[in-house]
Amino acid sequence: MEPRYQQLTEALADFLPAGRIIQDPSLCLAYGTDASFYRLVPKMVLRLASQDEVARVLQLCRQHRIHCTFRAAGTSLSGQAVSDSVLITLTDDWRRHRILDDGRQIALQPGVIGADANRYLAPFGRKIGPDPASINSCKIGGIAANNASGMCCGTAQNSYQTLHGLALVLADGTRLDTRDPQSRARFAEQKTELLAGLQRLSEEVKANRELSERIRHKYRLKNTTGYSLNALVDFADPFDILAHLMIGSEGTLGFMAEVSYNTVPDHPFKASCLLVYPEIETTCRAVTALAGTEVAAVELMDGRALKSIADKPGMPAFVRELDLEAAALLVEVHGADEAELLAKCEQAMAAVADFERRNEVPFTQDKTTCATLWAMRKGMFPAVGAVRETGTTVIIEDVAFPVEQLAPAVRKLTDLFDRFGYSEAIIFGHALAGNLHFVFTQGFDSQAELDRYGGFMDAVAQLVAVEYQGSLKAEHGTGRNMAPYVELEWGQDGYALMQKIKALFDPDGILNPGVILNDDRQAHLKDLKPLPAADDIVDKCIECGFCEVVCPSRDLSLTPRQRIVLFRELQRRAAQGETGEDGLEQVFRYQGVDTCAATGLCAQRCPVGINTGDLVRQLRTARYRKFEPIARWSADHFSATTALVGMGLNSAALGRRLLGERTLGKLNRGLRQASKNRVPLWLPETPAANRHSPSASSPHQGRPKVVYFPSCASRTLGQSPGAKDGRSLTEVTQAVLERAGFDVVLPAELTSLCCGQPWQSKGMMALADGKAAELEARLWQASEQGRWPVLMDTSPCAKRSREQAGLPLAIFEPVQFILEQALERLELKPVQETVLLHITCSSRHLGLADKMLELASRCAARVVVPEHIDCCGFAGDKGFTTPELNASALKPLRAQVPPGCSRGVSNSRTCELGLSHHSGVNYESILYLVDEASR
């Protein structure tokens, strides 16, 4: 390590915990990766928790002349969030928000996810203006730093236009809150030259009519190429100029510690339609016509884009018949009420009445149809990604043309695809703003491919910036990708103006060098990210990072994206016969494999549906092979196995009574330490064994039957010690079924049955599938060949059984069963208390999140779903064997328990143990709540 980095490390250790200064080369590789196709490996990654820490780190970097780069969610596409020096990331301490003026304003820290901001504003009927496609994953820091926009916000509702004010830290550690008069006064004394310089630049620009007009023209379009020069034209107050220059500055001018937005209405009434035209010219003329109406969004899709998703489920049949000349518009309108909505729909259709349509899906408010139409548009990017060759990457560029010139521009862009051999390329985009995205696949493994890409980008730059005077970056930020072309777009005087801005804010050039301004005209062809073949399960991964927000290990070890990055590097080394001495294999064993919950929530967020848990289970197969004889014995003698577990539970319960909770916990921790954590963790919430034996009902004439399969967890575990209702889950389930008037049927040889989940989680798929098949046969028999529904009292078992089923069985977990089979037979009266609800991973996979909330709300006066907890991390037995995963995943939980709340509900027995432990209130099956509400 260079001496200056060593000195920086020593200085950082004075105020940062060692765990937040990451220098391990393997982890720097993992954490240093973002969604772009560039690869720089930082020398250190810092996880900062406060504005004080940011200021001190920046002062130290400046003192030691060390470059640094800020990173929010790492979903940026243009290389603006990678570094070969110091990468600054944020802990979860940056997720606070303040709602002001009845929702008309909202103050957001940079770690708040965009979709969360809108969720906070939803009760006020408001939202933030920017609506990027990545809003469920990207964070406010990135949204503001890139001036990201989206499908509906256009140029009127982006961060620049809706900014109220912000708090920031400059490169030398100086702080400013533009919303605070006292802060402004202090800053005016500290930074006289900066403010005077901005004032001077503004006056110079306003005096230069040609440059002023060029700036105004550029920002009539969507434009994120270079700095927000419109700030120098739009404002006179240097504080306003400064604040708006920060927007879209991509971390090159300072750090935004909080951003206040003026919010926009989120109209409750929405309708969408799909209009298909025979060729692009007619389509673009329709766009121009629609621009004069009150539509909220107009998305253009060319013929190739339509072809890429034609065979996807739910697509209108006519899409398969379209030729490549066809193009379509997806139109959405919003209204404060139904009358306003219908009026806007009629206005839009009248505007395009003169343009002959080839096909259409008329305006509809049907949520399912609208969701299908928008899934069609959003599925185009992953459609290209799914068919790319292994080793290539998917590149999505975004440009903007004047709307009136859209048709010829699209034709010429398509000609460039053909000229440079990008036959798979597709075009779609936000047509009202003239903003087009084009997606293509590109390899970087040969000079010929580099030359092809370089020639293509040169041609695109000439077409967009010179021939059409458009924007080379409409909403994705300049980054490294377009930095070499900024001067081409803006001219020498515009580029020189940006250099002066950079010098005023960051005279030492420590902030994100090479981004936005870069003298190397070949920079976009350097430091390109390799995507070597690794495994079919993950080879389609483009490292976008959409998965990270739902990963339970994201604050403990690695995320799915980071696991794939390290796995690819391991496989590359193996393929090339390299032996690394950086400990990557050892790091990956714990960080990549041991701490993965493998619940597959990442697949729900992944654009191409990758379940990193499948890869991890595959890797566990080899590791656990030596235990296969024991595992096989447990599968063949499952009744004895669960009996032994019950004996262990009762022994622990006896130990608690004799020794006391504290002594038993201390003894368990000592045994874990001595055994190197091979002894499972004992939790105070661990129950004694379940003493209740489920029994079949006596048959009643005319009563419906239900096959009840108690999971092995509920058959084995009794109720937790702190619970108000001491009955076990099996006892409560049978009570609810009896009250609903069902005859209960139990499968034969119940104690030997299991869905196979314990073996699946260890990668022992043959044993897991064998147990699943055995269970299915018994359920088929008990249900009279599928005549009667099957209720499984925990959702993980129901999910796995549904996935493995080869026979037409109607398998339910508790929530869906109550709502669809038992609700009419029960009289529910809400319990007058506040109840916490945890939606399990398996319930999310089954699409039951809203159903869980519905049922809980029918049974309790108030239901609270804690935020930022998608998976609890207990993951079967991980809560006992790798308890730090459960602790990390549930770290935000205890602070969200409402005053007076004494219980939570869910539908997974083991998850409930961890939830109880980390919340301080007892979690139990939602069936307990149903039982109480139906008495």
Side-chain angles (χ1 to χ4, degrees):
M1 180 182 291
E2 294 178 45
R4 58 183 178 143
Y5 284 96
Q6 184 61 46
Q7 293 164 7
L8 175 62
T9 302
E10 292 169 1
L12 291 171
D14 289 340
F15 63 96
L16 288 181
R20 294 202 272 122
I21 305 173
I22 298 162
Q23 293 177 298
D24 181 284
S26 302
L27 296 181
C28 284
L29 169 63
Y31 295 171
T33 297
D34 76 345
S36 74
F37 51 93
Y38 294 96
R39 163 67 51 74
L40 291 173
V41 180
K43 291 180 175 62
M44 69 174 71
V45 179
L46 304 179
R47 304 196 69 234
L48 304 186
S50 69
Q51 200 173 148
D52 286 343
E53 290 181 357
V54 171
R56 291 185 69 177
V57 167
L58 290 179
Q59 289 167 344
L60 287 170
C61 286
R62 182 167 176 256
Q63 175 186 331
H64 295 285
R65 296 195 172 277
I66 290 175
H67 301 150
C68 58
T69 296
F70 306 115
R71 162 84 64 80
T75 56
S76 299
L77 296 166
S78 302
Q80 57 266 66
V82 294
S83 172
D84 58 2
S85 183
V86 174
L87 182 66
I88 296 173
T89 64
L90 307 177
T91 65
D92 285 343
D93 299 278
W94 295 89
R95 296 198 294 207
R96 288 184 285 275
H97 73 281
R98 292 177 291 124
I99 294 176
L100 308 166
D101 193 17
D102 289 330
R104 293 179 182 84
Q105 287 182 1
I106 187 168
L108 299 161
Q109 288 191 320
V112 175
I113 293 168
D116 286 343
N118 286 339
R119 186 162 49 80
Y120 304 145
L121 289 166
F124 302 91
R126 311 286 292 183
K127 63 179 181 177
I128 60 172
D131 61 338
S134 57
I135 197 166
N136 290 322
S137 305
C138 66
K139 297 178 179 178
I140 293 300
I143 290 173
N146 293 309
N147 197 21
S149 47
M151 297 180 187
C152 294
C153 89
T155 56
Q157 296 182 348
N158 58 25
S159 292
Y160 179 95
Q161 295 292 352
T162 59
L163 178 69
H164 170 67
L166 49 78
L168 60 93
V169 185
L170 293 181
D172 63 358
T174 304
R175 305 185 210 188
L176 168 66
D177 189 334
T178 66
R179 304 158 299 183
D180 180 1
Q182 291 183 337
S183 177
R184 289 163 68 115
R186 284 193 302 271
F187 190 85
E189 293 178 0
Q190 295 170 315
K191 290 291 177 181
T192 306
E193 291 184 12
L194 171 57
L195 293 175
L198 293 177
Q199 188 97 50
R200 185 171 58 253
L201 291 179
S202 176
E203 291 169 358
E204 290 174 3
V205 170
K206 289 171 182 172
N208 185 334
R209 179 175 295 180
E210 181 185 345
L211 181 56
S212 295
E213 196 50 48
R214 191 186 320 147
I215 290 171
R216 290 190 180 94
H217 165 74
K218 288 288 186 183
Y219 290 103
R220 277 192 284 267
L221 311 175
K222 276 191 179 183
N223 194 331
T224 61
T225 309
Y227 291 123
S228 300
L229 296 184
N230 46 339
L232 299 171
V233 175
D234 294 342
F235 301 99
D237 185 313
F239 285 102
D240 289 335
I241 295 171
L242 186 155
H244 287 82
L245 280 171
M246 288 293 297
I247 301 298
S249 62
E250 301 176 31
T252 64
L253 302 182
F255 173 81
M256 287 182 277
E258 188 175 70
V259 181
S260 286
Y261 283 102
N262 295 312
T263 62
V264 301
D266 183 17
H267 293 305
F269 290 84
K270 297 178 173 69
S272 298
C273 75
L274 181 69
L275 309 176
V276 183
Y277 296 96
E279 23 61 29
I280 195 67
E281 285 78 11
T282 303
T283 310
C284 291
R285 286 199 296 273
V287 171
T288 303
L290 288 168
T293 69
E294 296 181 83
V295 292
V298 178
E299 292 292 298
L300 182 147
M301 298 162 279
D302 77 348
R304 301 188 201 200
L306 293 166
K307 183 180 180 181
S308 73
I309 48 84
D311 294 325
K312 301 295 181 184
M315 292 302 103
F318 63 74
V319 175
R320 297 183 186 87
E321 309 302 322
L322 299 175
D323 55 39
L324 295 183
E325 276 293 301
L329 298 177
L330 177 56
V331 183
E332 182 165 283
V333 296
H334 300 164
D337 53 44
E338 183 133 4
E340 180 182 339
L341 181 75
L342 294 176
K344 288 181 178 180
C345 291
E346 291 174 6
Q347 180 195 41
M349 293 310 296
V352 297
D354 293 338
F355 305 109
E356 182 181 351
R357 293 187 292 278
R358 181 166 172 175
N359 301 95
E360 70 177 277
V361 176
F363 267 117
T364 177
Q365 297 181 61
D366 180 73
K367 291 184 177 180
T368 301
T369 304
C370 290
T372 300
L373 292 176
W374 283 97
M376 171 179 168
R377 157 62 180 86
K378 293 176 181 178
M380 288 173 176
F381 175 56
V384 175
V387 298
R388 69 182 172 88
E389 292 182 18
T390 299
T392 65
T393 190
V394 180
I395 296 178
I396 178 169
E397 289 293 353
D398 77 305
V399 298
F401 296 102
V403 175
E404 62 274 12
Q405 296 175 307
L406 205 52
V410 170
R411 285 289 184 196
K412 290 185 178 181
L413 192 54
T414 303
D415 289 343
L416 289 182
F417 296 157
D418 295 336
R419 175 180 158 193
F420 287 93
Y422 294 107
S423 58
E424 78 290 349
I426 64 173
I427 296 175
F428 56 85
H430 319 315
L432 281 181
N435 178 195
L436 299 180
H437 300 303
F438 53 96
V439 182
F440 58 100
T441 62
Q442 176 68 56
F444 295 119
D445 55 354
S446 70
Q447 189 60 47
E449 281 297 288
L450 280 175
D451 292 344
R452 178 170 75 123
Y453 174 68
F456 176 63
M457 291 306 296
D458 286 346
V460 167
Q462 283 293 325
L463 175 70
V464 176
V466 179
E467 185 174 345
Y468 283 96
Q469 291 295 300
S471 307
L472 287 168
K473 281 294 183 182
E475 58 180 7
H476 291 171
T478 308
R480 300 174 185 281
N481 176 227
M482 209 55 73
Y485 298 104
V486 173
E487 186 172 359
L488 177 71
E489 176 169 333
W490 279 101
Q492 290 183 351
D493 50 355
Y495 193 70
L497 187 58
M498 293 182 191
Q499 290 175 315
K500 291 176 183 177
I501 291 169
K502 173 69 171 176
L504 282 171
F505 278 83
D506 181 23
D508 299 301
I510 69 164
L511 297 180
N512 217 4
V515 169
I516 294 185
L517 303 179
N518 198 321
D519 293 333
D520 183 353
R521 294 295 179 257
Q522 299 296 305
H524 62 304
L525 303 177
K526 297 176 180 177
D527 302 311
L528 298 165
K529 182 195 293 183
L531 292 176
D535 189 281
D536 288 345
I537 295 173
V538 297
D539 279 344
K540 297 302 180 187
C541 174
I542 55 174
E543 300 178 4
C544 66
F546 287 7
C547 55
E548 294 191 334
V549 67
V550 296
C551 178
S553 63
R554 63 184 179 272
D555 293 321
L556 172 68
S557 53
L558 300 177
T559 64
R561 165 167 64 180
Q562 294 163 351
R563 286 185 170 91
I564 292 171
V565 168
L566 293 193
F567 181 69
R568 280 175 164 160
E569 176 61 12
L570 283 169
Q571 296 306 100
R572 184 196 66 79
R573 292 182 184 183
Q576 297 184 5
E578 295 182 14
T579 54
E581 297 181 0
D582 54 4
L584 174 57
E585 288 191 20
Q586 185 174 355
V587 167
F588 187 71
R589 186 177 302 120
Y590 175 78
Q591 302 259 357
V593 179
D594 291 349
T595 55
C596 177
T599 55
L601 282 187
C602 48
Q604 293 191 332
R605 295 298 185 98
C606 176
V608 291
I610 293 169
N611 184 344
T612 311
D614 289 342
L615 172 68
V616 169
R617 278 189 290 270
Q618 181 174 288
L619 297 175
R620 287 173 181 167
T621 299
R623 182 185 298 187
Y624 288 112
R625 190 166 288 131
K626 60 185 177 182
F627 300 112
E628 191 161 328
I630 298 173
R632 186 171 297 282
W633 186 92
S634 69
D636 292 341
H637 304 85
F638 195 64
S639 182
T641 300
T642 53
L644 289 171
V645 172
M647 290 172 60
L649 290 169
N650 286 333
S651 297
L654 178 62
R656 181 210 296 268
R657 288 197 298 272
L658 296 177
L659 301 175
E661 188 175 292
R662 181 175 298 181
T663 302
L664 183 59
K666 186 176 180 180
L667 177 63
N668 175 251
R669 289 191 295 273
L671 288 172
R672 279 181 58 77
Q673 186 174 1
S675 68
K676 296 182 178 179
N677 293 331
R678 291 186 178 89
V679 172
L681 178 71
W682 176 82
L683 297 173
E685 294 76 15
T686 305
N690 183 5
R691 296 181 179 180
H692 175 257
S693 296
S695 56
S697 305
S698 301
H700 293 79
Q701 184 99 20
R703 282 188 17 163
K705 295 180 181 180
V706 59
V707 178
Y708 172 38
F709 175 67
S711 71
C712 52
S714 57
R715 295 199 306 268
T716 306
L717 296 165
Q719 176 64 295
S720 293
K724 182 174 69 174
D725 187 337
R727 294 174 299 165
S728 69
L729 175 56
T730 53
E731 193 172 354
V732 169
T733 303
Q734 290 211 242
V736 171
L737 293 174
E738 177 62 34
R739 190 172 299 124
F742 286 97
D743 280 349
V744 174
V745 178
L746 298 177
E749 301 181 23
L750 176 62
T751 59
S752 68
L753 299 179
C754 177
C755 70
Q757 188 82 22
W759 296 274
Q760 183 197 32
S761 66
K762 302 295 185 293
M764 300 177 179
M765 301 309 298
L767 291 176
D769 293 347
K771 292 302 290 184
E774 178 187 11
L775 173 60
E776 183 180 41
R778 295 299 182 189
L779 294 176
W780 183 248
Q781 179 185 44
S783 66
E784 298 178 26
Q785 292 72 50
R787 180 182 178 189
W788 305 112
V790 176
L791 169 62
M792 297 185 174
D793 57 18
T794 56
S795 62
C797 297
K799 173 183 174 291
R800 175 164 169 78
S801 296
R802 282 194 197 179
E803 291 172 346
Q804 296 296 308
L807 298 170
L809 286 166
I811 297 173
F812 295 87
E813 54 69 64
V815 171
Q816 192 175 14
F817 180 82
I818 295 297
L819 289 176
E820 295 183 11
Q821 302 289 321
L823 193 60
E824 294 181 356
R825 299 171 168 275
L826 295 170
E827 192 174 323
L828 298 178
K829 183 179 180 182
V831 176
Q832 294 305 301
E833 61 178 273
T834 299
V835 173
L836 290 163
L837 172 65
H838 175 70
I839 300 168
T840 56
C841 304
S842 46
S843 297
R844 294 181 188 277
H845 280 295
L846 293 169
L848 297 176
D850 291 342
K851 296 289 186 183
M852 285 193 78
L853 183 58
E854 178 190 344
L855 179 58
S857 299
R858 286 177 178 268
C859 297
R862 181 183 176 217
V863 179
V864 174
V865 181
E867 64 177 354
H868 307 133
I869 300 170
D870 291 272
C871 171
C872 73
F874 209 94
D877 63 357
K878 284 285 182 191
F880 300 119
T881 61
T882 315
E884 63 270 28
L885 174 60
N886 185 227
S888 180
L890 296 181
K891 184 180 174 184
L893 178 56
R894 190 177 293 264
Q896 297 184 66
V897 177
C901 178
S902 60
R903 69 164 144 177
V905 296
S906 191
N907 58 358
S908 171
R909 188 67 190 94
T910 50
C911 294
E912 289 151 15
L913 294 179
L915 290 160
S916 299
H917 183 66
H918 293 288
S919 68
V921 301
N922 184 64
Y923 271 78
E924 57 196 9
S925 171
I926 197 169
L927 288 170
Y928 284 85
L929 188 60
V930 172
D931 178 65
E932 187 172 347
S934 61
R935 289 176 189 166

